[in-house]
Amino acid sequence: MGFFSPDGLLLGFSVVALIAIYLRSRARPIINVSSLMLFEQLPAPVVKSRILKLDLLFWLELLALSAITLAAAGFYVAGRRPVGRHQLHALVFDLGAGMGALDGRVSRLEEARALARHLITSAPAGDEFTVIGYGLEANILAAPSRDPRPALAALDKLQAQAIAPRPSALRAALIDAHGAAAIDIFADRRPAEDVVSQTSPRGVVKLHQVGKPVDNVAIAGLDPGVPRSSGGHCVLRNFSSRPAQCQLELDLNGRQFDHTSLIIEPRAQAIVGFRPLTEGGLLHARIATHDALIMDNERFATAPSTAQANVLVLSPDPDARDDLARIAVAINPNFVVTALDPAQYKSSGAAKRRYALAILHDCNPSGINAAARLFVFPEPLLKGSHRTPVANVPGSVAAVELESRQDTGPLTTPTLLGPSRILSLPGWMDALATGAPLDGHDSFPVAAVGRQLDGRVGVLAFDVRDHLLLDPDRLDALVLTIDTLKQVTAPEDIKVVSTGSFVTISTFAPAKLISPDNSIRQLQPDQWGRVRFRPLEVGHYAIRGPNRATEVYANYYDVAESDLSSLAAPLDRKAVNHSLPPPHVEIFPRPVGLALIALAAFLVLAESAFITRRAIYWGTPHV
Amino acid sequence: MLIARAFDPDFLQRLDALTLGIKRARTIRTGRRTVGRVLGPGLEPEDFRDYSAGDDLRFLDWNTFARLEDLTVRTFRAERQVELTIMLDTSASMAVPESDDKFGLAVILGTALAYIAMGENDSVRLAAFGGSAEKSRWLTTPSYQRRESFFAFRQFVSGLKCQGDTQLSMAVADLLRTRHHPGIVVAISDFLVSPADYEDALTQLLTARHEVKVIHIVGDREYTGFYPPGAYRVRDCETGELREVVFGAQQSALCRQRIEEHSARLANFCERHGIVYSRAFGASNLDAIMRREFPRLGVIA
């Protein structure tokens, strides 16, 4: 409490003056009478008149005068308000798959949307709103504006994505909302505290946790097996704390070939096997029963073709040749492998055949007619050689450690791979894994795939001699090799990918992307003729180019995001708020002049009413 | 305001059937306005007498002369009009307390008497008195006889302002200075003057052979002494003199006692001198006052 102007306190002396006037006027009211003759018999007053009469009128007038004086002096009280007169509200939405889960008939995102809409409509005029969504990354969906319509329109366009939200995306969203006085996070699960605290938001951070624990069954994996050879299996997982009844449907190339009903134990997984597929193609598994999250209720896989294909394996090392041939046959038993020393290749009849895949270890003979080529430990460019290297190999290292893979991220324990070439990838190739030399810090790609006009190309930078691929302690090398081989030999017109990953298709021309929701987007190729997109929905994407069409099927599964029952009871909001940074508020003077004047007016009215009542009762203006 | 009611047709209608009686004509029938057996010009024959030189030839009874050959003169009873003067006190005390409307009460009673008197074509005029010792105020209306002229009084009473002192003696002196024939004088006042003053004034009127009627006006608050309790300073509205008093129940009783004493003294004086005394205490009691006091004033239904 205080005064805007201390000089205004001088007005306080007016109270004294006014009280003096008041007392003077009230000391002895004068009554006009017709003649003093009528009062001759009245005795003289025996009591001195009271100067100060502490009756109701006195207190009413004293309060009224004090209120007026304080109002004139600019009396104020200290108020607290969030930083900013017109507050900026940042509405941050989790757009992960869990937000698409249905709680009854309403999704969690719908619930969050309703909460946010109420916040916008109930906010004081002049407040600004911005809408930010985060999933794989943060996106400002509505820029800060005092006009609520863009924010409301952005709310309507919010859509849950078939991905698990990344903490880094939330961090980026909070950074985008850094200037906001109030940050409202709408999520179905509590974000990590360090994510919020590290961004140090200036405004009040409030978590609106939506949703309640619900049951969910997801397809965790789908293995098509080997057509006509070995059966496949589908992995189902029950995330609820009670048994779940489930019906699984399997179809191959659009034809259903299996329908299984089963009951899965609480928080357990079930493996549903099926007989060997009769042919290769697209395998589709689908949970027919209803549960909360439909994104993880279907999964796609491609089964290798049953048609025989020739594979050429060239390596100067017999052991390596043998290992690579075994792996190729393991991937597809229909491969007919021809393994040769590079020195013998020209002279043999193998050079005249057409191959579906050529695996070239530490060699690069010319004249190979193959639809796809995998270079293993590619030889560096030699002076005077006329052969075009698939990748620039500036040098070699004696040993390299596999550090990170594109699909799984950094390895918890690096895998020692042995000698390796240092690769400098061309732009049309994508790295699948990176490694670093033992004695160095600069990492380089150790596995990559790409496509040229004459076919697919894969590269493994490390050497596979000394049965590296069969070493049980270095299984990562084998897995990386198999994955690379699968990508190189995968059908060109069909792809199965994970949601959230970048999909690269070589179209060499502009192409149309038709999403599962039938929306169409035009994709422009880069300088190497590739179009890229990132599927955020589960289902079928079609890429239509002028010369070729590619079908992409996106799968979603995330063990944390699909676990919709792990939310348990709603979080204690007090605890959440307590753990969040304290709100930034400022203390400002709140004028109370108007209230004081209103109080004075009320007091004067009350006094007038009191006086009038007395005047009416006594029939005289002197009261 | 009672002044407005004084000229209200409904109120006047109640007065139509009333007649103002005159003490000296009590022996004759009601409504006769002759005063005494005074010979003079008139319409009512009184007697016959022998003609003497100088008699008005218009009064010769030519029929008697033709039959008896004697000159006989017919005499008539003289008709004298009753002149009614209603004196209204317009001193400042008549306006205090304001809520009592003492002046309004005085006006309505005075005009009512005037209206009644004009019913018999009596000559009526209103007079207002007040002012100060240095310059008294004496205002009169012309004398009106017919009721059609009654509303001429409205402008007169509407223009009266209560101010100054109650100069009753000076007002009577002014009245006697302009009047020669005795009539009826009705003095309407609160008589808040010294007894010597009003006794002197009333004695002068009696000496001039006027029939005097007194209406004593007292306000409701004055009579009840009903003042808000507490310490006050009372100010005489005529003299401006101040006095400190403390009002309470006991003081109210003393005020009532004082007004009763004042009224009793005035009434006693009037009774001793053959003056009709009428109490008009409280404007709220107008109907009761008219019902009770008008007969006392000679108003006959």
Side-chain angles (χ1 to χ4, degrees), chain B:
Chain B
M1 293 295 290
L2 289 177
I3 290 181
R5 192 181 169 194
F7 298 93
D8 182 52
D10 294 335
F11 176 70
L12 297 176
Q13 190 176 7
R14 293 170 51 192
L15 307 176
D16 284 341
L18 302 180
T19 302
L20 180 61
I22 301 171
K23 186 189 295 182
R24 294 178 185 171
R26 290 284 169 80
T27 56
I28 61 176
R29 63 184 173 88
T30 302
R32 297 294 295 270
R33 315 305 297 163
T34 54
V35 181
R37 300 180 64 83
V38 179
L39 296 180
L43 296 176
E44 187 175 354
E46 173 67 17
D47 203 355
F48 296 90
R49 67 175 175 79
D50 293 339
Y51 172 78
S52 59
D55 284 345
D56 193 341
L57 293 177
R58 289 178 301 170
F59 300 125
L60 277 174
D61 189 344
W62 293 105
N63 291 330
T64 305
F65 176 75
R67 190 164 58 245
L68 303 175
E69 295 184 351
D70 288 333
L71 291 174
T72 304
V73 179
R74 184 178 293 177
T75 62
F76 297 88
R77 180 177 297 178
E79 280 196 359
R80 285 186 183 174
Q81 291 179 319
V82 176
E83 293 191 356
L84 176 64
T85 302
I86 299 172
M87 298 174 63
L88 294 175
D89 184 358
T90 59
S91 64
S93 63
M94 289 295 285
V96 178
E98 188 178 1
S99 59
D100 283 356
D101 198 14
K102 290 162 58 179
F103 183 69
L105 178 61
V107 168
I108 195 170
L109 290 176
T111 55
L113 289 174
Y115 184 80
I116 293 169
M118 292 170 82
E120 294 295 337
N121 294 327
D122 288 337
S123 180
V124 179
R125 65 171 179 170
L126 297 183
F129 64 94
S132 61
E134 294 75 23
K135 184 179 181 182
S136 66
R137 184 175 67 251
W138 174 251
L139 302 172
T140 64
T141 64
S143 294
Y144 297 104
Q145 292 179 271
R146 302 170 62 84
R147 279 187 171 169
E148 288 80 358
S149 307
F150 173 73
F151 288 94
F153 294 136
R154 171 182 281 181
Q155 186 177 3
F156 177 74
V157 298
S158 299
L160 296 177
K161 300 287 185 186
C162 293
Q163 55 192 5
D165 302 338
T166 308
Q167 299 294 338
L168 184 56
S169 297
M170 297 177 69
V172 169
D174 288 337
L175 172 65
L176 297 180
R177 192 177 306 122
T178 57
R179 290 293 307 163
H180 300 287
H181 301 292
I184 301 175
V185 177
V186 180
I188 305 176
S189 172
D190 53 9
F191 294 98
L192 291 176
V193 291
S194 66
D197 192 10
Y198 67 72
E199 287 174 5
D200 176 58
L202 295 178
T203 303
Q204 287 183 58
L205 289 172
L206 292 174
T207 305
R209 299 185 61 229
H210 285 288
E211 180 181 344
V212 182
K213 301 174 188 291
V214 166
I215 299 178
H216 187 191
I217 302 291
V218 175
D220 289 303
R221 184 183 293 273
E222 284 178 328
Y223 177 66
T224 58
F226 189 71
Y227 292 96
Y232 294 92
R233 288 193 295 176
V234 293
R235 177 168 53 198
D236 191 315
C237 63
E238 293 185 2
T239 64
E241 188 180 352
L242 288 169
R243 183 173 177 210
E244 294 198 350
V245 296
V246 176
F247 286 124
Q250 186 179 1
Q251 286 72 19
S252 296
L254 290 174
C255 287
R256 286 196 297 274
Q257 180 182 344
R258 180 69 184 92
I259 202 75
E260 285 291 352
E261 289 176 1
H262 179 68
S263 172
R265 178 159 184 169
L266 175 60
N268 186 37
F269 173 82
C270 292
E271 185 179 0
R272 284 191 282 110
H273 293 80
I275 299 173
V276 176
Y277 172 80
S278 176
R279 286 167 56 130
F281 284 10
S284 59
N285 302 320
L286 174 64
D287 293 335
I289 292 169
M290 292 175 62
R291 189 169 56 250
R292 186 184 66 236
E293 301 297 333
F294 268 26
R296 197 193 306 273
L297 292 168
V299 175
I300 304 163

Side-chain angles (χ1 to χ4, degrees), chain A residues 159-194:
Chain A
Q159 194 171 5
Q161 302 168 347
I163 44 105
R166 293 178 178 170
S168 59
L170 173 58
R171 192 176 292 115
L174 292 176
I175 291 172
D176 288 340
H178 199 260
I183 301 174
D184 295 279
I185 301 175
F186 299 89
D188 60 341
R189 51 198 89 210
R190 182 184 181 184
E193 290 184 10
D194 58 339

Side-chain angles (χ1 to χ4, degrees), chain A residues 465-486:
Chain A
R465 288 185 176 91
D466 298 332
H467 299 291
L468 170 71
L469 299 179
L470 303 183
D471 188 346
D473 294 334
R474 292 185 282 188
L475 276 179
D476 287 324
L478 175 63
V479 173
L480 180 60
T481 302
I482 290 173
D483 286 347
T484 307
L485 266 175
K486 281 185 174 179

Side-chain angles (χ1 to χ4, degrees), chain A residues 263 290 405 416 536:
Chain A
I263 295 176
H290 172 79
R405 291 188 56 181
L416 182 62
L536 298 176

